[in-house]
């Protein structure tokens, strides 16, 4: 139980905007992709969303908190996801279908996340390995 309370305490030490972003935007958008398995891009978009998220459970667990290392899986898996979605939008006319809107949402959210992840990864490789 101490591990869980330590992880929660680390999360709460993140800035309030970061906490809000993670809980109300980033996580819901990426979990939304699980509803897109039957979409035109198939399983790849939800798979890349989950692969960008799941390793962070292990990273946080091992480090006993949140650190800049958690940006690495995002860079590895969400970069190709954003590129795939960008190619999809370049080839597909805009429409108001649930799938198209959900793809657009994940494209925007993970593109924004990647901008922050680049900075966090640079910090981590630069030696800032502390946890929040």
């Amino acid at each position: 139980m101490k591990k869980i309370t330590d992880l929660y305490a680390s999360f709460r030490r993140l800035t309030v905007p970061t906490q809000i972003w993670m809980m109300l935007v980033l996580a819901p958008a990426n979990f939304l992709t699980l509803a897109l398995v039957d979409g035109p891009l198939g399983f790849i978009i939800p798979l890349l969303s989950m692969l960008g998220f799941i390793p962070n459970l292990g990273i946080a667990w091992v480090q006993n908190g949140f650190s800049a290392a958690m940006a690495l899986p995002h860079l590895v898996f969400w970069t190709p996801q954003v590129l795939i979605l960008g190619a999809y939008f370049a080839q597909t006319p805009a429409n108001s279908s649930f799938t198209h809107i959900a793809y657009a949402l994940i494209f925007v959210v993970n593109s924004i996340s990647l901008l922050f992840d680049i900075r966090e990864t640079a910090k981590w490789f630069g030696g800032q390995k502390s946890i929040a």
Side-chain angles (χ1 to χ4, degrees), residues 75 108-121:
L75 287 178
V108 169
V109 167
N110 283 356
S111 293
I112 292 168
S113 179
L114 286 170
L115 295 174
F116 290 103
D117 292 330
I118 290 166
R119 183 187 70 193
E120 292 300 307
T121 299

Side-chain angles (χ1 to χ4, degrees), residues 6-14 18-19 22-23 66 132:
D6 287 348
L7 290 170
Y8 179 72
S10 177
F11 174 75
R12 295 296 294 167
R13 285 190 296 270
L14 298 171
T18 300
Q19 292 175 47
M22 288 172 62
M23 296 304 293
F66 289 71

Side-chain angles (χ1 to χ4, degrees), residues 21-131:
W21 169 258
M22 288 172 62
M23 296 304 293
L24 298 180
V25 180
L26 192 64
N30 278 282
F31 280 104
L32 173 66
T33 65
L34 295 174
L36 303 173
V37 174
D38 293 330
L41 296 174
F43 193 67
I44 191 69
I45 298 304
L47 176 65
L48 291 170
S49 278
M50 294 303 103
L51 288 173
F53 166 75
I54 291 170
N56 283 329
L57 298 174
I59 291 169
W61 188 265
V62 168
Q63 294 186 332
N64 207 38
F66 289 71
S67 78
M70 297 175 77
L72 296 170
H74 295 173
L75 287 178
V76 170
F77 296 107
W78 291 353
T79 298
Q81 180 192 59
V82 165
L83 294 173
I84 290 166
L85 288 168
Y88 171 80
F89 290 125
Q91 300 169 10
T92 307
N95 63 69
S96 60
S97 70
F98 169 79
T99 301
H100 196 83
I101 292 168
Y103 281 161
L105 175 68
I106 199 65
F107 176 80
V108 169
V109 167
N110 283 356
S111 293
I112 292 168
S113 179
L114 286 170
L115 295 174
F116 290 103
D117 292 330
I118 290 166
R119 183 187 70 193
E120 292 300 307
T121 299
K123 283 183 192 177
W124 191 79
F125 280 115
Q128 187 178 349
K129 307 218 189 275
S130 61
I131 62 164

